[in-house]
Amino acid sequence: MKPFAIGIDIGGTHLRLGAVTPEGQVEHFEKKSSQNLREGDGPANLIEDIRQYLAQHQLEGQVEAIAIGIPGTVSKDKRQVFSAPYLSGFSGIELKQILEQQLGLPVYLDRDANFLLYSDMYCHKDIIDTNKMEMLVGLYFGSAVANAFFIHGSFYDGASGVAGEIGHNPLYGLEERDVCGNTGCAGLRCGGKYLEKIAGLYYPEIPFHQIFEKKKEERRIRQFVTDMAIPITQVANILDPDLIFVAGGVTDMPEFPWDLLDEAAREHMRHPLPAEACQL
């Protein structure tokens, strides 16, 4: 086995790349803007980004495979990107085949949320027993909202491969159009793009990364966090999972109000269960 696999996470804001050893250690980590994947020929730009990364860190000939998390929907056979609204030119293409032909390496595609949930399960394997837990759920609040399901020992992709699009469930009374083409999607109010909009409009004097440190008691910020609880409540009420991982760029921000999110999520869960037993 060659010493590295390349892990790539494509987000609506950032592109992250790392060389991962068989022991799970990440080396040569890079985080950069994903702007060049949101305009022009996105797939060609991604190929160039990967080639530059391999050359910069002298990794040619040392890579076993490449794994890429896509912020959108992927076919059940993990070959085609169905829809990736934040990425230019990715929707509807056989991305696996294109990348393998151009890079000469095996490529593994999946929804970014599946990779994120797998990572959380791996990092917390000392405190969770997937053999005894029927269902685990991941909810990830980044630029938008992504989620994944792990049921009876396997990731659940659905009949077409597109299960886990809870960020595109509609919010009552919201008529704004989302990048996916639908109106009223929950991600329009629960994701980091909207938080960034609120911060810019009402608190321009505050650096964005300090918005919770400085303004978490403000009505608009509290409402944003309360809205984040909606998909958590939906998952809990419909599926009653053993555990829900809640993570992402938004919750990673300094002094994120976890207590408020937890309270808001449980308020509308069915009582007494799952409200009293749900593990977040």
Side-chain angles (χ1 to χ4, degrees), residues 240 266 269-279:
D240 187 21
R266 294 182 196 278
M269 289 181 194
R270 180 76 165 161
H271 289 266
L273 297 172
E276 294 178 8
C278 185
Q279 293 188 68

Side-chain angles (χ1 to χ4, degrees), residues 108-120:
Y108 297 90
L109 297 181
D110 209 336
R111 298 170 57 248
D112 53 0
N114 282 0
F115 279 122
L116 291 166
L117 179 54
Y118 183 85
S119 173
D120 280 331

Side-chain angles (χ1 to χ4, degrees), residues 2-7 17-29 53 59 122-123 125:
K2 295 175 183 176
F4 295 109
I6 302 301
L17 307 95
V20 186
T21 70
E23 296 75 33
Q25 298 300 310
V26 180
E27 300 182 12
H28 310 302
F29 176 74
Y53 176 81
L59 293 171
Y122 177 84
C123 291
K125 62 182 181 292

Side-chain angles (χ1 to χ4, degrees), residues 70-132:
I70 300 293
T73 54
V74 177
S75 62
K76 199 174 181 73
D77 62 7
K78 312 300 182 185
R79 301 186 63 85
Q80 181 181 0
V81 178
F82 283 151
S83 174
Y86 288 105
L87 304 179
S88 174
F90 281 77
S91 297
I93 68 168
E94 292 274 348
L95 185 61
K96 175 180 170 68
Q97 179 180 352
I98 292 170
L99 294 177
E100 288 183 337
Q101 289 176 346
Q102 293 295 316
L103 299 171
L105 289 166
V107 173
Y108 297 90
L109 297 181
D110 209 336
R111 298 170 57 248
D112 53 0
N114 282 0
F115 279 122
L116 291 166
L117 179 54
Y118 183 85
S119 173
D120 280 331
M121 291 164 55
Y122 177 84
C123 291
H124 294 86
K125 62 182 181 292
D126 57 330
I127 60 171
I128 63 174
D129 187 349
T130 56
N131 293 317
K132 294 182 179 178

Side-chain angles (χ1 to χ4, degrees), residues 2 12 25 37 60 62 94 144 154 168 182 233-234 250 269:
K2 295 175 183 176
Q25 298 300 310
L37 306 183
E60 293 94 336
Q62 300 187 66
E94 292 274 348
S154 300
H168 296 281
N182 291 346
T233 299
Q234 290 174 337
V250 172
M269 289 181 194

Side-chain angles (χ1 to χ4, degrees), residues 181-193:
N182 291 346
T183 57
C185 294
L188 290 167
R189 290 295 180 268
C190 305
K193 291 287 188 184

